[in-house]
Amino acid sequence: MKLVKFSLIIVCFLAISCSKKEENQTILSSPDSNIKVEFSLNLNGEPIYQVAYKNEEVIKTSTLGFDLKDAPSLKGNFEIISAVPSSFNETWEMPWGEQIEVVNNYNELKVELQEASELKRKLTIVFKVYNDGIGFRYEFPEQENLKEVFITDENTQFNLTGDHKVWWIPGDWDIYEHLYNTTKFSEIDAKSKAGHKNLAQTSIPENAVNTPVTMKTKSGLHLSFHEASLVDYSGMTLKVDTNNLSMTSELVGSDNTDYKVKRTVPFETPWRTIQISEKAGDLIASKLIVNLNEPNKLEDISWFKPTKYTGIWWEMHLGKSSWDMASGKHGATTENAKAFIDFSAKNNIGAVLVEGWNTGWEHWIGFEDREGVFDFVTPYSDYDLKEVVRYGKEKGVEIIMHHETSAATQTYEKQQDTAYALMQSLGIHAVKTGYVGKILPKGEYHHGQYMVNQYNNAVIKAAKYQVAINAHEPIKATGLRRTYPNTISREGLRGQEFNAWSSDGGNPPEHLPIVAFTRMLAGPIDYTPGIFDIKFDKWKKDNQVNTTIAQQLALYVVIYSPVQMAADLIENYEGNPALQFIKDVGVDWQQTKVLNGEIGDFVTIARKEKNSENWFIGGITDENEREMELAFDFLNADDVYEAIIYEDAEDADWDKNPTSLNIRKLEITNTSKELLKLAKGGGFAISLIKK
């Protein structure tokens, strides 16, 4: 990966970015001096920290440490051996992403601790303070009295300064596909969300929330808590204390062990992160999470190209076809795949996903023993894999492979080399993986250390075969796309498919205006937008997509992913003028600007296409209609653009008239302003093609 600017590493003077308040107390500031982190030891020798933004306390004094199996806790009786500050500033390039250049500028404090007791165990805590937030992690250095660590609890504390407004999903160990809740912190009741009938499984042992979890203080400050670089460790939920307004890290466990994490010293934990911003939109613009990950280890990723895709998927959720052959309406046939290839080739769409192509779907779910059901290389008799790939190449359309594991991890692990080698031999460079159901072996959870390693190891192995992974039922995104840029997208939220069959009314209009400021802060989302037949009464009378068609177009810009699906049936696109936006819209970007937004209400994002001068804008709203004046002052002063605006018509409404759309053309410069009206559950999409 090419660096645009050489990195700069400077040991800073204490007086500049790091100062001592008194003995054992050190204050570290962000490069712009707005954020300050104070670290010290309390009277019991416990590591403690505080965070402030522009002199406003953000995190009150909070403790750090661990409980260990068969060993004393590692959280007190420490002495500071050294506290070394430094600064770092580089600009690195994303091979694909929301922008090309990323500034990675922070001040660092590395604190080496040692117990005053006879054991004299060592622990290092590293803080990195950016202009947009902080990250800190624990490092277990090589030492005589600590060789192997069995963590039963990580006690990272976040003591809040008030009863903040919170957008949260429960700290489920097994699934992220819950609707977001908007409550005061004191009203969080995660355990009430267990056993949802539309979820494959839930496991919510504590009143905890999953991350990213986003908050707004009474003073208007926005905070988002998450983690970065989750490697060989359990996923972190945050256990909430609604009385004391505090959160403590609660690691995902296993029914098979009496510890949460097993590691050999030396090792580092994931980063614990807090993004801080005055404007909600600045949370989206933040690159804190990717910056806290290691640089690209793959170097050459040119074999993966961001793309739009269609596929044999939505029709299964509607009931038009099925994944298996036994039903008599198998979707993944050679004929159907070729039809999608033809449609994609005509409409500037680069790939086709084919689900249900391989044998085993008759017994993939609802059975205790699912190991050995799929082999990932044997197609059904009505699907000629090699012919479909050949036909796609003839038309300039790639095939996206599908590997549903049914959460039978040992079967998939054993067959990955064979499956990826088949893909490589056919020139297939992307696979959508799935892990539906309870994890096998029994007792493991989707978000525990065992599965974190399963997901990460699959990405590393796939890279050897030039295969990129779009994971569904995944572990959360934590910025590892920087280190392994073949981890291209993932689900990890309540997706579009819930609109097709869930009994609770689908995803409400507020869902995506929340997602943009919560789940999307973690990384790319394969949400599968572009449904034009909003009501789909032909297939389902009691379900629908709870947006207007204009919002479905806007999602191609608002919800970021380097792979974006045109998810609807071919027949619903044919002859619809709104298809032009999907044909035109980019999928890889030079730069991104968040033009406005409030969490759960609305958001507007503009993105400039890579390798062109064209811009695309998307705006969405919740269940409330609204007007907004859009200024185009982010455009170059001398440029003139032809704008095509796809907007809600006067009578549009997500429920009553969701497909009512107005399309208009006009000339736009950087002095232009446009008044846009968004219907309930609506939005707008704009293409700006430079003249």
Side-chain angles (χ1 to χ4, degrees), residues 256 369-374 376 405-416 435 439-442 444 450-451 454:
N256 302 322
D369 187 8
R370 287 163 276 120
E371 295 287 4
V373 168
F374 291 121
F376 312 105
T405 69
S406 66
T409 61
Q410 293 173 350
T411 294
Y412 192 47
E413 186 175 8
K414 290 174 183 176
Q415 298 187 35
Q416 281 171 348
Y435 293 82
I439 295 295
L440 296 177
K442 293 180 181 179
E444 301 296 340
Y450 173 83
M451 282 307 298
Q454 286 285 322

mmCIF file of all heavy atoms in Angstrom, residues 256 369-374 376 405-416 435 439-442 444 450-451 454:
data_model
loop_
_atom_site.group_PDB
_atom_site.id
_atom_site.type_symbol
_atom_site.label_atom_id
_atom_site.label_comp_id
_atom_site.label_asym_id
_atom_site.label_seq_id
_atom_site.Cartn_x
_atom_site.Cartn_y
_atom_site.Cartn_z
ATOM 1 N N ASN A 256 -18.667 -23.980 26.925
ATOM 2 C CA ASN A 256 -17.708 -25.085 27.001
ATOM 3 C C ASN A 256 -16.500 -24.785 27.883
ATOM 4 O O ASN A 256 -15.676 -25.669 28.117
ATOM 5 C CB ASN A 256 -17.225 -25.453 25.593
ATOM 6 C CG ASN A 256 -18.371 -25.852 24.682
ATOM 7 O OD1 ASN A 256 -19.311 -26.510 25.114
ATOM 8 N ND2 ASN A 256 -18.313 -25.447 23.424
ATOM 9 N N ASP A 369 -27.673 -32.008 13.924
ATOM 10 C CA ASP A 369 -26.369 -32.319 13.338
ATOM 11 C C ASP A 369 -26.332 -31.820 11.896
ATOM 12 O O ASP A 369 -26.851 -32.456 10.985
ATOM 13 C CB ASP A 369 -26.097 -33.825 13.381
ATOM 14 C CG ASP A 369 -24.683 -34.152 12.925
ATOM 15 O OD1 ASP A 369 -23.892 -33.200 12.722
ATOM 16 O OD2 ASP A 369 -24.379 -35.345 12.764
ATOM 17 N N ARG A 370 -25.726 -30.661 11.703
ATOM 18 C CA ARG A 370 -25.645 -30.068 10.369
ATOM 19 C C ARG A 370 -24.247 -30.176 9.777
ATOM 20 O O ARG A 370 -24.006 -29.696 8.674
ATOM 21 C CB ARG A 370 -26.072 -28.592 10.442
ATOM 22 C CG ARG A 370 -27.569 -28.404 10.635
ATOM 23 C CD ARG A 370 -27.921 -27.004 11.106
ATOM 24 N NE ARG A 370 -27.803 -26.878 12.554
ATOM 25 C CZ ARG A 370 -26.995 -26.030 13.173
ATOM 26 N NH1 ARG A 370 -26.208 -25.227 12.471
ATOM 27 N NH2 ARG A 370 -26.945 -25.976 14.483
ATOM 28 N N GLU A 371 -23.315 -30.782 10.522
ATOM 29 C CA GLU A 371 -21.983 -30.974 9.962
ATOM 30 C C GLU A 371 -22.065 -31.927 8.772
ATOM 31 O O GLU A 371 -22.738 -32.958 8.816
ATOM 32 C CB GLU A 371 -21.024 -31.539 11.020
ATOM 33 C CG GLU A 371 -20.743 -30.608 12.188
ATOM 34 C CD GLU A 371 -19.848 -29.433 11.831
ATOM 35 O OE1 GLU A 371 -19.490 -29.265 10.646
ATOM 36 O OE2 GLU A 371 -19.508 -28.648 12.739
ATOM 37 N N GLY A 372 -21.380 -31.559 7.713
ATOM 38 C CA GLY A 372 -21.327 -32.416 6.533
ATOM 39 C C GLY A 372 -22.460 -32.229 5.549
ATOM 40 O O GLY A 372 -22.508 -32.912 4.518
ATOM 41 N N VAL A 373 -23.382 -31.296 5.816
ATOM 42 C CA VAL A 373 -24.528 -31.100 4.918
ATOM 43 C C VAL A 373 -24.085 -30.475 3.596
ATOM 44 O O VAL A 373 -24.491 -30.911 2.519
ATOM 45 C CB VAL A 373 -25.601 -30.225 5.605
ATOM 46 C CG1 VAL A 373 -26.650 -29.773 4.597
ATOM 47 C CG2 VAL A 373 -26.260 -31.000 6.736
ATOM 48 N N PHE A 374 -23.241 -29.434 3.649
ATOM 49 C CA PHE A 374 -22.779 -28.745 2.444
ATOM 50 C C PHE A 374 -21.343 -29.162 2.113
ATOM 51 O O PHE A 374 -20.533 -29.403 3.012
ATOM 52 C CB PHE A 374 -22.804 -27.227 2.643
ATOM 53 C CG PHE A 374 -24.184 -26.632 2.731
ATOM 54 C CD1 PHE A 374 -24.578 -25.935 3.866
ATOM 55 C CD2 PHE A 374 -25.081 -26.756 1.683
ATOM 56 C CE1 PHE A 374 -25.836 -25.361 3.944
ATOM 57 C CE2 PHE A 374 -26.347 -26.191 1.756
ATOM 58 C CZ PHE A 374 -26.729 -25.499 2.891
ATOM 59 N N PHE A 376 -19.814 -27.320 -0.790
ATOM 60 C CA PHE A 376 -19.337 -26.073 -1.394
ATOM 61 C C PHE A 376 -18.680 -26.242 -2.768
ATOM 62 O O PHE A 376 -18.052 -25.309 -3.265
ATOM 63 C CB PHE A 376 -18.374 -25.334 -0.442
ATOM 64 C CG PHE A 376 -18.912 -25.217 0.950
ATOM 65 C CD1 PHE A 376 -18.415 -26.018 1.971
ATOM 66 C CD2 PHE A 376 -19.943 -24.339 1.243
ATOM 67 C CE1 PHE A 376 -18.927 -25.934 3.259
ATOM 68 C CE2 PHE A 376 -20.461 -24.248 2.528
ATOM 69 C CZ PHE A 376 -19.955 -25.053 3.535
ATOM 70 N N THR A 405 -22.943 -21.859 5.532
ATOM 71 C CA THR A 405 -22.348 -22.925 6.342
ATOM 72 C C THR A 405 -23.352 -23.570 7.283
ATOM 73 O O THR A 405 -23.047 -24.603 7.876
ATOM 74 C CB THR A 405 -21.202 -22.356 7.192
ATOM 75 O OG1 THR A 405 -21.741 -21.491 8.201
ATOM 76 C CG2 THR A 405 -20.210 -21.577 6.337
ATOM 77 N N SER A 406 -24.518 -22.978 7.451
ATOM 78 C CA SER A 406 -25.510 -23.349 8.473
ATOM 79 C C SER A 406 -24.855 -23.437 9.844
ATOM 80 O O SER A 406 -25.242 -24.251 10.679
ATOM 81 C CB SER A 406 -26.257 -24.637 8.115
ATOM 82 O OG SER A 406 -25.401 -25.764 8.117
ATOM 83 N N ALA A 407 -23.851 -22.602 10.064
ATOM 84 C CA ALA A 407 -23.121 -22.489 11.332
ATOM 85 C C ALA A 407 -22.385 -23.767 11.715
ATOM 86 O O ALA A 407 -21.985 -23.943 12.863
ATOM 87 C CB ALA A 407 -24.052 -22.047 12.464
ATOM 88 N N ALA A 408 -22.205 -24.669 10.742
ATOM 89 C CA ALA A 408 -21.433 -25.903 10.964
ATOM 90 C C ALA A 408 -19.972 -25.595 10.637
ATOM 91 O O ALA A 408 -19.494 -25.839 9.524
ATOM 92 C CB ALA A 408 -21.978 -27.032 10.103
ATOM 93 N N THR A 409 -19.283 -25.061 11.605
ATOM 94 C CA THR A 409 -17.981 -24.444 11.348
ATOM 95 C C THR A 409 -16.893 -25.444 10.977
ATOM 96 O O THR A 409 -16.002 -25.130 10.198
ATOM 97 C CB THR A 409 -17.529 -23.644 12.585
ATOM 98 O OG1 THR A 409 -17.411 -24.528 13.702
ATOM 99 C CG2 THR A 409 -18.538 -22.557 12.910
ATOM 100 N N GLN A 410 -16.950 -26.629 11.540
ATOM 101 C CA GLN A 410 -15.891 -27.599 11.258
ATOM 102 C C GLN A 410 -15.954 -28.087 9.820
ATOM 103 O O GLN A 410 -14.925 -28.291 9.170
ATOM 104 C CB GLN A 410 -15.962 -28.752 12.255
ATOM 105 C CG GLN A 410 -15.621 -28.313 13.679
ATOM 106 C CD GLN A 410 -15.839 -29.395 14.713
ATOM 107 O OE1 GLN A 410 -16.416 -30.445 14.432
ATOM 108 N NE2 GLN A 410 -15.397 -29.140 15.939
ATOM 109 N N THR A 411 -17.173 -28.260 9.302
ATOM 110 C CA THR A 411 -17.327 -28.648 7.893
ATOM 111 C C THR A 411 -16.734 -27.587 6.985
ATOM 112 O O THR A 411 -15.986 -27.899 6.047
ATOM 113 C CB THR A 411 -18.811 -28.863 7.556
ATOM 114 O OG1 THR A 411 -19.295 -29.983 8.286
ATOM 115 C CG2 THR A 411 -19.009 -29.104 6.066
ATOM 116 N N TYR A 412 -17.040 -26.331 7.265
ATOM 117 C CA TYR A 412 -16.540 -25.259 6.402
ATOM 118 C C TYR A 412 -15.031 -25.118 6.516
ATOM 119 O O TYR A 412 -14.335 -24.959 5.510
ATOM 120 C CB TYR A 412 -17.226 -23.940 6.751
ATOM 121 C CG TYR A 412 -16.975 -22.845 5.729
ATOM 122 C CD1 TYR A 412 -17.115 -23.092 4.367
ATOM 123 C CD2 TYR A 412 -16.615 -21.565 6.127
ATOM 124 C CE1 TYR A 412 -16.886 -22.102 3.426
ATOM 125 C CE2 TYR A 412 -16.388 -20.558 5.200
ATOM 126 C CZ TYR A 412 -16.526 -20.836 3.846
ATOM 127 O OH TYR A 412 -16.289 -19.848 2.921
ATOM 128 N N GLU A 413 -14.520 -25.202 7.720
ATOM 129 C CA GLU A 413 -13.079 -25.059 7.920
ATOM 130 C C GLU A 413 -12.310 -26.138 7.149
ATOM 131 O O GLU A 413 -11.290 -25.859 6.513
ATOM 132 C CB GLU A 413 -12.746 -25.139 9.409
ATOM 133 C CG GLU A 413 -11.292 -24.856 9.730
ATOM 134 C CD GLU A 413 -11.029 -24.836 11.224
ATOM 135 O OE1 GLU A 413 -11.933 -25.180 12.010
ATOM 136 O OE2 GLU A 413 -9.900 -24.471 11.603
ATOM 137 N N LYS A 414 -12.806 -27.360 7.184
ATOM 138 C CA LYS A 414 -12.130 -28.466 6.500
ATOM 139 C C LYS A 414 -12.162 -28.314 4.984
ATOM 140 O O LYS A 414 -11.263 -28.782 4.282
ATOM 141 C CB LYS A 414 -12.781 -29.795 6.884
ATOM 142 C CG LYS A 414 -12.525 -30.232 8.319
ATOM 143 C CD LYS A 414 -13.330 -31.486 8.659
ATOM 144 C CE LYS A 414 -13.140 -31.883 10.114
ATOM 145 N NZ LYS A 414 -14.009 -33.046 10.469
ATOM 146 N N GLN A 415 -13.211 -27.659 4.470
ATOM 147 C CA GLN A 415 -13.402 -27.618 3.018
ATOM 148 C C GLN A 415 -13.051 -26.274 2.387
ATOM 149 O O GLN A 415 -13.228 -26.090 1.187
ATOM 150 C CB GLN A 415 -14.846 -27.987 2.694
ATOM 151 C CG GLN A 415 -15.209 -29.398 3.143
ATOM 152 C CD GLN A 415 -16.579 -29.827 2.676
ATOM 153 O OE1 GLN A 415 -17.000 -29.463 1.583
ATOM 154 N NE2 GLN A 415 -17.270 -30.594 3.480
ATOM 155 N N GLN A 416 -12.548 -25.344 3.171
ATOM 156 C CA GLN A 416 -12.257 -24.018 2.622
ATOM 157 C C GLN A 416 -11.227 -24.067 1.498
ATOM 158 O O GLN A 416 -11.411 -23.416 0.461
ATOM 159 C CB GLN A 416 -11.781 -23.082 3.745
ATOM 160 C CG GLN A 416 -12.916 -22.544 4.592
ATOM 161 C CD GLN A 416 -12.429 -21.810 5.828
ATOM 162 O OE1 GLN A 416 -11.259 -21.876 6.174
ATOM 163 N NE2 GLN A 416 -13.329 -21.117 6.502
ATOM 164 N N TYR A 435 -23.790 -17.834 8.210
ATOM 165 C CA TYR A 435 -23.649 -18.662 9.413
ATOM 166 C C TYR A 435 -24.980 -18.690 10.172
ATOM 167 O O TYR A 435 -25.037 -18.419 11.366
ATOM 168 C CB TYR A 435 -22.543 -18.109 10.303
ATOM 169 C CG TYR A 435 -21.154 -18.215 9.709
ATOM 170 C CD1 TYR A 435 -20.682 -17.276 8.797
ATOM 171 C CD2 TYR A 435 -20.298 -19.256 10.052
ATOM 172 C CE1 TYR A 435 -19.419 -17.365 8.241
ATOM 173 C CE2 TYR A 435 -19.024 -19.359 9.511
ATOM 174 C CZ TYR A 435 -18.590 -18.402 8.605
ATOM 175 O OH TYR A 435 -17.326 -18.499 8.055
ATOM 176 N N ILE A 439 -24.380 -22.141 16.565
ATOM 177 C CA ILE A 439 -23.032 -22.554 16.192
ATOM 178 C C ILE A 439 -22.781 -24.011 16.580
ATOM 179 O O ILE A 439 -23.139 -24.467 17.671
ATOM 180 C CB ILE A 439 -21.981 -21.646 16.874
ATOM 181 C CG1 ILE A 439 -22.093 -20.208 16.358
ATOM 182 C CG2 ILE A 439 -20.565 -22.187 16.670
ATOM 183 C CD1 ILE A 439 -21.766 -20.024 14.905
ATOM 184 N N LEU A 440 -22.177 -24.733 15.651
ATOM 185 C CA LEU A 440 -21.583 -26.031 15.940
ATOM 186 C C LEU A 440 -20.070 -25.857 15.905
ATOM 187 O O LEU A 440 -19.557 -25.289 14.940
ATOM 188 C CB LEU A 440 -22.028 -27.082 14.917
ATOM 189 C CG LEU A 440 -23.525 -27.426 14.888
ATOM 190 C CD1 LEU A 440 -23.805 -28.433 13.780
ATOM 191 C CD2 LEU A 440 -23.991 -27.964 16.229
ATOM 192 N N PRO A 441 -19.326 -26.316 16.912
ATOM 193 C CA PRO A 441 -19.747 -27.163 18.035
ATOM 194 C C PRO A 441 -20.673 -26.456 19.019
ATOM 195 O O PRO A 441 -20.596 -25.239 19.210
ATOM 196 C CB PRO A 441 -18.415 -27.534 18.695
ATOM 197 C CG PRO A 441 -17.478 -26.444 18.312
ATOM 198 C CD PRO A 441 -17.886 -26.011 16.940
ATOM 199 N N LYS A 442 -21.547 -27.254 19.637
ATOM 200 C CA LYS A 442 -22.516 -26.729 20.597
ATOM 201 C C LYS A 442 -21.808 -26.011 21.732
ATOM 202 O O LYS A 442 -20.720 -26.396 22.153
ATOM 203 C CB LYS A 442 -23.365 -27.866 21.160
ATOM 204 C CG LYS A 442 -24.286 -28.522 20.144
ATOM 205 C CD LYS A 442 -25.086 -29.638 20.802
ATOM 206 C CE LYS A 442 -25.999 -30.326 19.793
ATOM 207 N NZ LYS A 442 -26.768 -31.446 20.424
ATOM 208 N N GLU A 444 -20.788 -22.901 21.643
ATOM 209 C CA GLU A 444 -20.103 -21.698 21.166
ATOM 210 C C GLU A 444 -21.129 -20.701 20.647
ATOM 211 O O GLU A 444 -22.235 -21.071 20.251
ATOM 212 C CB GLU A 444 -19.092 -22.046 20.067
ATOM 213 C CG GLU A 444 -18.004 -23.025 20.490
ATOM 214 C CD GLU A 444 -17.104 -22.478 21.577
ATOM 215 O OE1 GLU A 444 -17.057 -21.237 21.766
ATOM 216 O OE2 GLU A 444 -16.437 -23.292 22.261
ATOM 217 N N TYR A 450 -13.904 -18.259 19.848
ATOM 218 C CA TYR A 450 -13.852 -19.338 18.859
ATOM 219 C C TYR A 450 -14.303 -18.851 17.496
ATOM 220 O O TYR A 450 -13.643 -19.090 16.470
ATOM 221 C CB TYR A 450 -14.720 -20.517 19.320
ATOM 222 C CG TYR A 450 -14.872 -21.608 18.288
ATOM 223 C CD1 TYR A 450 -13.904 -22.593 18.143
ATOM 224 C CD2 TYR A 450 -15.992 -21.654 17.450
ATOM 225 C CE1 TYR A 450 -14.040 -23.594 17.183
ATOM 226 C CE2 TYR A 450 -16.133 -22.645 16.494
ATOM 227 C CZ TYR A 450 -15.158 -23.614 16.365
ATOM 228 O OH TYR A 450 -15.300 -24.601 15.402
ATOM 229 N N MET A 451 -15.441 -18.145 17.450
ATOM 230 C CA MET A 451 -15.973 -17.705 16.165
ATOM 231 C C MET A 451 -15.221 -16.495 15.611
ATOM 232 O O MET A 451 -15.085 -16.350 14.389
ATOM 233 C CB MET A 451 -17.463 -17.394 16.288
ATOM 234 C CG MET A 451 -18.346 -18.633 16.287
ATOM 235 S SD MET A 451 -18.067 -19.736 14.867
ATOM 236 C CE MET A 451 -18.500 -18.669 13.496
ATOM 237 N N GLN A 454 -12.702 -18.078 13.703
ATOM 238 C CA GLN A 454 -13.254 -18.693 12.492
ATOM 239 C C GLN A 454 -13.430 -17.656 11.384
ATOM 240 O O GLN A 454 -13.010 -17.876 10.242
ATOM 241 C CB GLN A 454 -14.604 -19.354 12.806
ATOM 242 C CG GLN A 454 -14.510 -20.647 13.578
ATOM 243 C CD GLN A 454 -14.041 -21.805 12.738
ATOM 244 O OE1 GLN A 454 -14.400 -21.937 11.563
ATOM 245 N NE2 GLN A 454 -13.224 -22.661 13.320
#
